[in-house]
Amino acid sequence: MHGLAAHLPVLPILIPLITGAVLVLFDDRQRTLKAIISFTGLLILLTAAIAMVVQVSQSEGVSTISYAIGNWPVPFGIVLVADRLSAMMVLLATTLGLATLVYSLARWHTSGPSFHSLMHFLIMGLNGAFLTGDIFNLFVFFEVMLAASYGLALHGGGSARVKAGLHYVAINLAASFLFLIGAALIYGVTGTLNMADLAMKVAMVPAADRGLMEMGAAVLAVAFLIKAGTWPLGFWLPATYSVAAPPVAAIFAIMTKVGIYALLRLSTLAFGTEAGASQGFGQIVLLCGGMATIVFGVIGLLASRTPGRMASYSVLVSAGTLLASIGIGNPTTTGGALYYLVVSTLAVSAFFMLIELMDRVRIEGANVLALTLEVFGDDDEEAEEEVGLSIPGALAMLSISFCVSALLLAGFPPLAGFLAKFAIISSLFNPEGLTETGAISPWAWGLAGLMIFSGFATLIALMREGINTFWATLSDTPGPVRVLEMMPVALLLGIAVGMTIMAAPVMDYMQAAAEELYLPGGAVTRILETPLVVSVEAVH
């Protein structure tokens, strides 16, 4: 590779870093200029993310591209690693960032200081966490991401946001402390934090030290499970996400996926088939924790009376499904889970933005009225229905968008949410492929049952909310909905619908990414042999 293509892995970090730093130089009163710079920076970043996905998807076999940032040899220097999975996550984070930025331009970007800079630093932290090849820099990018998210969680002000935001900060500081302890224990035993080098050394850890090394991995996993919102460690998530500003909650939808990404990456790399006695370490915890999270999320979803909390519990149901699927330890199941990851993130992000728009079509006190009607019924005679009543365009768009996001989250036909769940359940019942017959484990039956049950529960909860909003308590004069607010919702849902139409090539990409994860030998060799960006001969 030559020219700019050779530096693609570092661009998703550099572009938001430079954009965010430039935006800091301008006063918040220069809103239009800041919005233009912010939007332009994200468009350039989106171009780089698409180019990276195209580059890795065109690779035959191992798609890994490694980049020795700082020009130090691996494993001593910092290395960035782009493969099918990390490129996909970078593209997803950038797409969400662009959509939420456009949504915020309607009014939210003026509701607090340094919104654009914080958004770009958050995306930089997300992209860095997806691309880094060592655990220490994973911690660094986690902290960059969290530092920006603290400011964004408080964006817009209000006592509810401050209270939930302080809880969020305290929980994540504790998680970061555990992260450092876990990383230190692993480094103390293996002498490395480079993930590829770690994959080579785990099998060679003496039996006497294996317990300490696995303890470090367990402590590290607890930090990731907190960030993923796993039950019982995810109690903070509904309170924080439900009161955050709509565009902030929408971009936060991907933050739980960072914890899941880290668990998936480390479990397949360090505790995969070549890990010796530590092979499969922690898989049963992921499976059980994921299933418990689905149950907790479904109970919360059915008990919620506000759409913000419904969306927050949908995030937990999604996280639980992904963790349990990873815990199965089957590449085909993981491939379906990756497809589900993208679809559920797009849907819940769009749902968070829809919530504010739906509030504008409700009459004041509508929630109380709807609840009263639901509990006590309505004995009044039904008024004669008007014939030929026209539906305002914005209201029609809102109701269609709500139905699409509900079907995607519930996993009902015919959209991509159903295809994702079908792919996961199909792999649970055919763990060795359609042409081979093998025993079906009780865990597979349990997970499949929970996924079907969670789908029905999600559909019931969201349809109840939809009826209360668009039918029972509809205002005669709904508030205006701007194009800037509807466009990002339509973009995210449109991508999800596009994934339904292009299901075959997208699923092929996900399966190839999953197979790479479970056969890391080629990628490990390529990372350890990463050439220097500037060779020593060229300097001399």
Side-chain angles (χ1 to χ4, degrees):
M1 289 182 292
H2 302 283
L4 197 60
H7 303 284
L8 265 181
V10 77
L11 293 183
I13 299 170
L14 279 183
I15 293 169
L17 172 64
I18 294 169
T19 311
V22 169
L23 285 166
V24 170
L25 302 176
F26 295 95
D27 191 272
D28 276 332
R29 287 171 293 185
Q30 296 175 284
R31 295 168 184 165
T32 304
L33 178 62
K34 293 189 81 167
I36 291 171
I37 294 173
S38 185
F39 184 73
T40 306
L42 278 177
L43 275 184
I44 297 170
L45 178 59
L46 183 66
T47 306
I50 292 172
M52 195 160 65
V53 169
V54 171
Q55 191 173 10
V56 297
S57 61
Q58 288 176 344
S59 305
E60 294 291 334
V62 179
S63 67
T64 304
I65 304 168
S66 52
Y67 186 86
I69 192 169
N71 213 43
W72 284 86
V74 179
F76 308 106
I78 301 170
V79 63
L80 300 177
V81 179
D83 59 6
R84 287 185 176 89
L85 177 60
S86 55
M88 177 195 80
M89 296 302 293
V90 166
L91 180 58
L92 179 61
T94 307
T95 305
L96 289 185
L98 189 62
T100 52
L101 174 71
V102 172
Y103 184 92
S104 69
L105 294 180
R107 75 182 178 100
W108 281 104
H109 75 128
T110 62
S111 300
S114 304
F115 175 81
H116 291 287
S117 295
L118 289 172
M119 188 67 83
H120 280 272
F121 290 140
L122 177 75
I123 294 171
M124 173 200 162
L126 286 167
N127 290 347
F130 295 139
L131 289 169
T132 185
D134 67 272
I135 295 175
F136 179 75
N137 282 288
L138 182 62
F139 172 77
V140 171
F141 285 117
F142 257 79
E143 291 309 302
V144 171
M145 174 188 74
L146 289 172
S149 73
Y150 297 153
L152 289 172
L154 300 172
H155 184 77
S159 59
R161 286 191 186 117
V162 172
K163 183 179 177 182
L166 290 176
H167 288 170
Y168 173 71
V169 172
I171 292 295
N172 279 288
L173 286 177
S176 299
F177 185 56
L178 292 175
F179 196 139
L180 275 181
I181 294 174
L185 287 172
I186 291 174
Y187 183 77
V189 174
T190 62
T192 185
L193 288 177
N194 181 284
M195 295 183 197
D197 198 30
L198 187 64
M200 299 286 287
K201 291 184 174 176
V202 163
M204 296 183 283
V205 172
D209 295 336
R210 188 172 299 122
L212 192 60
M213 191 270 295
E214 291 181 349
M215 185 187 296
V219 173
L220 198 62
V222 170
F224 295 143
L225 290 172
I226 291 174
K227 296 176 193 305
T230 312
W231 185 85
L233 305 171
F235 60 91
W236 55 272
L237 192 148
T240 305
Y241 283 28
S242 61
V243 298
V248 173
I251 189 74
F252 276 14
I254 197 174
M255 286 181 60
T256 54
K257 309 303 186 293
V258 183
I260 294 167
Y261 169 87
L263 286 166
L264 175 61
R265 178 71 74 185
L266 283 173
S267 63
T268 53
L269 200 58
F271 301 106
T273 54
E274 298 173 3
S278 296
Q279 180 182 347
F281 176 74
Q283 266 191 344
I284 191 67
V285 176
L286 294 181
L287 180 57
C288 294
M291 292 172 73
T293 307
I294 296 175
V295 173
F296 177 67
V298 166
I299 293 172
L301 193 59
L302 290 173
S304 297
R305 292 293 176 184
T306 61
R309 292 191 76 83
M310 284 183 185
S312 303
Y313 280 108
S314 296
V315 173
L316 293 183
V317 173
S318 165
T321 304
L322 290 168
L323 285 171
S325 301
I326 294 169
I328 292 291
N330 183 336
T332 311
T333 309
T334 303
L338 294 179
Y339 187 88
Y340 177 79
L341 183 154
V342 177
V343 172
S344 61
T345 307
L346 292 171
V348 82
S349 182
F351 188 37
F352 271 120
M353 290 189 276
L354 270 176
I355 289 170
E356 184 190 23
L357 308 182
M358 287 163 57
D359 283 341
R360 297 181 194 168
V361 302
R362 290 193 183 94
I363 57 175
E364 194 173 350
N367 290 342
V368 177
L369 175 62
L371 181 61
T372 306
L373 291 173
E374 191 175 310
V375 175
F376 299 105
D378 184 7
D379 295 330
D380 296 337
E381 291 185 9
E382 193 171 333
E384 188 175 347
E385 188 177 351
E386 291 186 52
V387 178
L389 190 66
S390 62
I391 301 174
L395 188 59
M397 282 294 294
L398 282 180
S399 57
I400 291 171
S401 300
F402 177 80
C403 285
V404 171
S405 61
L407 288 175
L408 287 168
L409 287 171
F412 267 64
L415 298 178
F418 168 75
L419 299 178
K421 286 195 172 183
F422 182 81
I424 295 173
I425 293 173
S426 173
S427 68
L428 292 175
F429 291 149
N430 301 282
E432 298 175 13
L434 292 173
T435 57
E436 302 288 338
T437 55
I440 302 172
S441 74
W443 293 109
W445 284 104
L447 178 56
L450 271 180
M451 288 177 62
I452 294 170
F453 172 68
S454 68
F456 277 111
T458 304
L459 192 67
I460 290 170
L462 294 183
M463 285 302 107
R464 182 184 64 193
E465 177 62 25
I467 289 170
N468 288 343
T469 302
F470 295 107
W471 186 4
T473 62
L474 190 62
S475 170
D476 293 332
T477 55
V481 176
R482 299 177 182 175
V483 175
L484 277 177
E485 294 169 319
M486 273 311 301
M487 199 161 57
V489 175
L491 169 70
L492 297 183
L493 295 179
I495 293 172
V497 172
M499 287 179 66
T500 310
I501 299 167
M502 302 293 291
V506 176
M507 192 66 82
D508 287 344
Y509 182 94
M510 303 300 181
Q511 290 296 344
E515 286 167 12
E516 254 185 353
L517 286 170
Y518 286 89
L519 291 173
V524 167
T525 305
R526 189 172 287 192
I527 294 167
L528 292 176
E529 294 175 353
T530 302
L532 299 180
V533 178
V534 180
S535 66
V536 178
E537 290 79 9
V539 173
H540 293 291

